[in-house]
Amino acid sequence: MKDSAFASGPLVGLATIVVTSLLLVVAAKALWLVVPLLFGIILYYMLYPIVHRLVLSGVSREAAAAIVAGSVTLVGVAVMVPLLPWLAAQSVGSEETFYRYLEGGRVLIDRTLTGLEKQFAFLQRMDFHAEMSKRADEFGGNALQKKIAEALLAAAVSLPTMLLAPFFAFFFLRDGQVFKKLVTRGVPNAFFERTIYMFDRVDATTRAFFQGQLKLTAIDTVFLGVGLWLIGLPGALAIGLIAALFEWIPVVGTIAGAGLAVLIAATAFPNDPWVVYATLGLFALVRTLDNFFFIPLTVGRSIQMHPLPTVLMVFIGGAVAGIPGLILALPLMGVVSAIVGTVSGIVLDPRLRARNRWAKELLQRRITADFR
């Protein structure tokens, strides 16, 4: 069956945006559950090939899911137990390092503004350097320190809930097919084919998105890590990995990853601005390669919608649910689009509705055949 089986048009697109926005609003109220659920879905698509291989080798699906998810849980606990005290011990040093990088960034901004004022007289008449320095000091004062402390506290509180991720992944791996059968069992025969295709499209959309993002993260890590190493930045591979993980956040992630690398470059090489320029050039190059080569080969067109509502949905997701909303907006929109398109296609297809009415009439006749 082709995608023509789904209804499309402005009303379907509007309904998709509205439903997705409502789901994101609900998700924003239960982030403690949504975040581990999101990681559980990612784990599911990471571990599914392993479970599938075990099933093909003769292991039952229940046993395969238990072995794989149990192993991941044990590894997670083994990593988390020593990690929490280490993070607590490193928190003070990490905060000092962060502010050292901010100071390096401030020095870079001062030099850049000074150079701009020398080149453009109107900026000097506006006292542009002094005004921007004042704004930067206000941003880097107590307000930023408070936000960082709140973010670290929220991360520490939510870290134990990450243990729910392998729990969710286990049930997805074990009962995914069972859930599909339970849902489709109550679907009328006239709508059965479209419903099955809807499940396949939802699964293909989420699989393409998350598995593609994982591949894209690995590719970006290698390219950014090698590039930053050639430039001479300390901890190049770690910076590349962090920046690649930031890419999961549309729009904001690219800026955050590049900004982090620029701060480190400005701090490590305070007297060599060309290192900063090379770092920015590297991120621009990798982003260009992502847009034209890597994303089409990995994520592809997993979200089959027009770019305008897609971009709009990203900003709506960030407004109603913050960073989790930015990450969830596109895959959730793809799932909702498949469901809304299927329901609309059924409602707007007079032949399917006629088949359903005729099936009900035949069933009624068979039930009441011996009443005469």
Side-chain angles (χ1 to χ4, degrees), residues 97-238:
T97 301
F98 178 77
Y99 282 107
R100 182 165 61 88
Y101 288 147
L102 281 183
E103 179 62 23
R106 189 189 65 79
V107 172
L108 174 65
I109 293 174
D110 285 342
R111 291 181 176 179
T112 303
L113 293 177
T114 301
L116 288 175
E117 282 192 348
K118 291 180 179 179
Q119 294 293 328
F120 302 99
F122 74 94
L123 292 178
Q124 190 172 6
R125 289 193 298 269
M126 293 170 54
D127 202 13
F128 185 72
H129 183 189
E131 184 64 25
M132 293 302 295
S133 297
K134 179 181 177 182
R135 297 288 179 87
D137 291 338
E138 291 176 354
F139 176 76
N142 294 330
L144 180 60
Q145 186 175 3
K146 182 179 179 181
K147 289 183 180 296
I148 294 173
E150 292 175 353
L152 291 176
L153 179 61
V157 171
S158 61
L159 191 59
T161 63
M162 290 297 102
L163 292 176
L164 289 174
F167 178 77
F168 287 135
F170 166 71
F171 284 103
F172 293 154
L173 292 168
R174 192 190 72 173
D175 300 329
Q177 297 297 324
V178 176
F179 173 76
K180 183 187 294 186
K181 291 179 181 178
L182 288 175
V183 173
T184 55
R185 187 177 299 171
V187 175
N189 187 61
F191 311 142
F192 185 79
E193 184 180 0
R194 299 244 178 134
T195 304
I196 290 296
Y197 186 56
M198 179 194 71
F199 275 106
D200 289 339
R201 183 175 173 183
V202 167
D203 182 66
T205 298
T206 51
R207 185 187 303 274
F209 182 82
F210 286 113
Q211 289 187 345
Q213 283 285 9
L214 291 171
K215 295 175 183 177
L216 184 63
T217 300
I219 293 173
D220 284 349
T221 300
V222 172
F223 274 78
L224 289 173
V226 172
L228 294 173
W229 176 74
L230 292 175
I231 292 173
L233 259 65
L237 186 60

Side-chain angles (χ1 to χ4, degrees), residues 221-256:
T221 300
V222 172
F223 274 78
L224 289 173
V226 172
L228 294 173
W229 176 74
L230 292 175
I231 292 173
L233 259 65
L237 186 60
I239 299 172
L241 175 60
I242 294 172
L245 291 174
F246 279 156
E247 290 290 341
W248 283 69
I249 309 173
V251 183
V252 179
T254 301
I255 299 174

Side-chain angles (χ1 to χ4, degrees), residues 3 6-13 341 344-345 348:
D3 283 347
F6 293 90
S8 60
L11 290 180
V12 173
S344 301
L348 298 176

Side-chain angles (χ1 to χ4, degrees), residues 47-67:
L47 302 177
Y48 179 81
I50 303 175
V51 173
H52 186 63
R53 184 174 293 274
L54 289 176
V55 171
L56 292 179
S57 66
V59 182
S60 66
R61 178 170 292 276
E62 291 78 6
I67 292 171

Side-chain angles (χ1 to χ4, degrees), residues 361-372:
E361 184 176 342
L362 290 178
L363 178 61
Q364 186 67 22
R365 289 181 183 180
R366 188 177 67 180
I367 294 174
T368 60
D370 58 343
F371 287 1
R372 300 174 184 175

